[in-house]
Structures are given as C-alpha cells and as structure tokens.
Amino acid sequence: MDKIVVKGGHSLKGEVTVSGAKNAALPILASALLADGKSVYRNVPDLADVTTMLKVLGTMGCGTGRLTGERTDVCEVSVEGPIHPEAPYDLVKTMRASVLVLGPLVARFGRARVSMPGGCAIGARPIDQHLKGLKALGADIHLTEGYVEATAKRLKGGTVNFDVITVTGTENVMMAAVLAQGRSVLENCAREPEVEELARVLNKMGARIQGAGTSVITIDGVDGLNPVEHAILPDRIEAGTLMVAAAITGGDVLVRRVVPEHLEPIILKLRETGCTLTTEEGGIRVKAPSVIHSVDVKTAEHPGFPTDMQAQLMGLMTVADGTSVISERIFENRFMHVPELHRMGADITIQGHTAVVKGVRALSGAPVMATDLRASASLVLAGLRAEGKTEVQRIYHLDRGYERLERKLRDLGADISRVKA
C-alpha cells in the first residue's frame, strides 16, 4: 500500500492542467447502456472509481477499454450482444456510484439487479429517492438479499418530486426517463454542472431533455438512442483543490482547463481570504497574499459552496489570520479529517455540524491517516504548508478522485512523493 510523503515550506509556482471530472464521467459511462454500439469518451480521468465503473459494465457484457499510448484519456464502451443486467456486491461495495446503472438497465432492458450500496464514511447516502423516481415511472421494485430488483415492460412518463436534492438520484431517474413512454417531469432536481453534462450527452444521443441545471427537468421519452462521442468537462473539485494549494503555500499558479462559472463559490471565498484571482485564457491564476484572512463557510447544494471543498478550505483556514466558522450542511459525518489536522497542530473545535477554526502560526508535519477522498486532499494541502515531513497513509482514498495529484503538485515545486508504506 502506498503513502504520500510531503516536506512542507515550498511555494507553488507555474501552470497545472485539470483532469476530467470524476462525477461527470461515472454517470456518462453508465449512460452508454442506453444505446447499441460503441461510445467513445475523451478527457476521462485515470481514477480508481472510473476503473470500477468500467469493471461493472464489463461484468454485464459490455466491451470496455482505455486507449494506450498518447491517448490514455480515451475510454470506449461497446454495447453489443446480450447484456447481463446485474451489478454485483463485490464491485458496488467499493463505489456507491455503481448504482447509476440501475436507471439505464431497467429503461433499456426491462430489468435490473443492482446491489444495495453500503454506508459511506462521510455519512448515510440512501438510494430511496432513486427508487421513488423509478416507481413513479412504472418500475416494479423489490429488495431481496441485499439487491434492488427493478422490472418494467416499458417505463411510462410521470412526475417525480424528490424529497431531498440528490445528484445521483436526479441522474439515475433522468437516464431512465429518456426511454420512457411520454413526458416526465422531475422536480427539486440537483443543479450541479455534472447533471447538466449528463443531460448534454443524453441529448447528443437523441434524448429530449430540457431544464437540466435548474430545479425542474422535463424529459420527452424517445424510442431509442444512438452511441456518442464526447469529451468530459473539467473537474471543478480538482481545480478548487489546486487553487487552495496555491493559496496555502503562498504561491502563484495558473490552473488551466477550467470552467470559471462552475467555480464561482470557491473563487468568491478565496478572494475573501485575500487571494488575487484573475481569469486568463484557458484558466484561472491564483496569487496568494502575504497573510491569509479567515472566512466563514456554509456548504450547500449547487450553486452554493460545495461540500466536496469543505475539507480543503478548512486546511487553508488552519493557517489563516483569525477565526473561521465552517458549517457542514450536506453530510452529517464530514469532519473526520479534524483529528488528523489536530495532529499537525491545528486549533479546531467541533460543535455539532460546525467547526470553529482558529488559525495558528505554523503547522507541524506528522504521520496522518486519510479517512475519505476529500479528507485525504486536505491532509496533503496541510502538509504542503507544514514545517517538516508529513506522511499521509491510506491514499487509496485520494486515488479514487484525483489523477496523479502528487505529480501535478511536484511539477509546481512541491517536495512530494509517493512511496510504499
């Protein structure tokens, strides 16, 4: 098992390019099930979660592969011949996003058997809204032996009002509705850019979707879809993480291949800290101030401040001037990085769903352990600033969502390496 070793104190400078978005790639790969033939996707990040999704599709009988040589960012998914509509437990347990095959399978093949995803370290994320949506479209749902079994001769259009905002629930039901008979109206939908991106791909395949990116999505079902070629949009969370890396090290970094409007809440908070952010052709330049000012943050569904950036911003606040209050409104257990930051000298007090962070003069390198994907990123960021050596264990969490992050940081001047634990 690998670990990451960081020796802090180096100011990051230069240019870095953002990889494709994990949270867009996963549902888009699942959407290949909706059409016969070969779909080709570019700018697909080389991540553990992407590999898992390709394995899930492969177990069903899809042909999957990633090109080699200079085009390792290209993935192909072929749907030809019989499909075995089941996502087994041994894969779903490693990545709950595997449940995204549920909607496409029942819509296209009339049946699906998908393992119930387990709990997650950052909190419970049930799929009840997925099932509610599929039932509203006419699917017959049974829960047996830890699996969801869904059947339908053909789904029929209907109205779905999500009780809570759910990104993967919105995506799953949207993929099911594109082949349903008649019109479907989805209400209280997630508005994330990744939801818009999935709708964009489905429309390229021949779907008729309007309103993606708003709280109400209208879908007129069609009889069939076609395979597609598409380039995945840049990962806004990786971009935000790299921007915070520039800030926490007192750096000057141009983050390339970004969509600035997807980063607005992150940009606004970094400007409040005193950072100078300017849009340049193809990217955003982040220049850190001599002193980082404390800011308060409340996470919220898009277009609010993303929960996936909470841990990274907290890392920055540990060395800010003043006291910041960080409120986590999305997941109930997303402060597990706090004890590890304590080991590095951070002054953080947890009060329910709120963390009060008092900035300290300096962090100290220490052995720390990642507990989830974004927590692992916050520990790497803290290590970039800390005095001495920081060793981050359990970086398989990091590899789920960041493509060779240590290499990108090293190219900017960080003293960071991946070694065998």
Side-chain angles (χ1 to χ4, degrees):
M1 189 178 297
D2 292 349
K3 64 181 177 181
I4 282 181
V5 178
V6 189
K7 295 179 181 178
H10 298 271
S11 180
L12 301 189
K13 298 184 184 300
E15 300 181 4
V16 63
T17 300
V18 174
S19 299
K22 172 182 83 83
N23 289 338
L26 297 178
I28 288 170
L29 289 171
S31 74
L33 289 164
L34 292 165
D36 274 338
K38 182 171 69 176
S39 291
V40 180
Y41 308 105
R42 300 184 302 280
N43 199 32
V44 180
D46 186 8
L47 303 171
D49 277 9
V50 170
T51 299
T52 299
M53 180 60 80
L54 292 173
K55 287 181 180 178
V56 170
L57 295 171
T59 63
M60 296 176 184
C62 298
T64 64
R66 183 183 288 273
L67 299 191
T68 58
E70 296 182 359
R71 296 309 309 271
T72 57
D73 68 328
V74 178
C75 283
E76 298 177 344
V77 180
S78 297
V79 183
E80 298 170 354
I83 294 296
H84 179 56
E86 179 173 330
Y89 169 71
D90 62 338
L91 288 174
V92 177
K93 71 179 181 181
T94 66
M95 184 189 70
R96 73 177 308 277
S98 303
V99 78
L100 284 164
V101 301
L102 181 61
L105 285 175
V106 71
R108 176 87 194 289
F109 302 101
R111 61 192 180 96
R113 187 171 188 265
V114 178
S115 173
M116 289 283 290
C120 182
I122 61 173
R125 294 191 283 178
I127 62 168
D128 59 312
Q129 298 303 300
H130 303 233
L131 305 185
K132 172 185 176 179
L134 293 176
K135 285 181 180 178
L137 301 182
D140 188 14
I141 305 288
H142 295 281
L143 304 180
T144 58
E145 298 179 340
Y147 280 78
V148 176
E149 294 184 353
T151 57
K153 287 186 177 180
R154 183 178 180 184
L155 296 176
K156 298 185 182 299
T159 298
V160 178
N161 189 306
F162 294 107
D163 298 318
V164 295
I165 296 174
T166 163
V167 174
T168 53
T170 299
E171 293 167 339
N172 225 343
V173 179
M174 183 166 63
M175 286 189 283
V178 295
L179 292 181
Q181 185 177 28
R183 172 170 288 189
S184 298
V185 179
L186 313 187
E187 301 173 342
N188 197 31
C189 295
R191 299 163 59 187
E192 271 72 3
E194 295 79 15
V195 174
E196 281 190 84
E197 177 81 340
L198 175 60
R200 190 175 299 116
V201 171
L202 294 171
N203 283 339
K204 287 175 69 172
M205 297 172 72
R208 299 170 62 190
I209 302 171
Q210 294 182 321
T214 73
S215 60
V216 179
I217 299 175
T218 302
I219 305 163
D220 289 307
V222 297
D223 291 332
L225 298 178
N226 302 307
V228 70
E229 292 192 15
H230 185 77
I232 307 296
L233 87 172
D235 194 312
R236 61 195 172 100
I237 304 303
E238 183 194 338
T241 302
L242 292 167
M243 291 160 66
V244 172
I248 200 169
T249 63
D252 180 354
V253 175
L254 176 60
V255 183
R256 289 197 175 277
R257 198 156 67 185
V258 300
V259 183
E261 52 265 35
H262 293 170
L263 296 164
E264 285 181 357
I266 302 168
I267 290 171
L268 289 172
K269 284 301 172 185
L270 285 177
R271 283 181 172 154
E272 285 183 35
T273 70
C275 291
T276 301
L277 283 82
T278 54
T279 302
E280 300 186 11
E281 185 175 353
I284 297 175
R285 181 175 294 279
V286 181
K287 292 183 179 180
S290 56
V291 176
I292 295 289
H293 302 299
S294 62
V295 297
D296 295 338
V297 172
K298 293 180 181 179
T299 63
E301 294 88 355
H302 190 78
F305 191 88
T307 181
D308 279 354
M309 280 299 301
Q310 176 258 107
Q312 298 91 309
L313 192 83
M314 185 183 293
L316 179 61
M317 290 300 95
T318 62
V319 292
D321 181 28
T323 299
S324 60
V325 178
I326 299 177
S327 300
E328 175 55 59
R329 303 293 184 89
I330 306 299
F331 294 118
E332 71 272 19
N333 194 24
R334 207 162 197 181
F335 287 148
M336 290 191 298
H337 46 283
V338 171
E340 303 305 300
L341 290 172
H342 283 163
R343 290 173 53 79
M344 302 178 71
D347 185 347
I348 306 170
T349 303
I350 303 297
Q351 301 172 359
H353 296 299
T354 299
V356 178
V357 186
K358 297 179 181 179
V360 297
R361 185 192 65 80
L363 297 174
S364 176
V368 292
M369 186 173 294
T371 53
D372 62 73
L373 169 55
R374 306 306 173 183
S376 62
S378 75
L379 299 176
V380 171
L381 294 175
L384 294 174
R385 174 65 179 255
E387 297 176 351
K389 181 173 71 174
T390 298
E391 295 185 358
V392 184
Q393 305 274 358
R394 289 187 180 176
I395 61 168
Y396 57 83
H397 290 293
L398 191 76
D399 294 337
R400 288 186 48 236
Y402 291 95
E403 184 176 35
R404 292 179 281 277
L405 180 62
E406 76 281 359
R407 185 182 304 177
K408 292 183 178 184
L409 294 172
R410 188 165 58 246
D411 289 345
L412 293 172
D415 187 343
I416 182 171
S417 58
R418 177 185 292 253
V419 301
K420 293 295 181 182

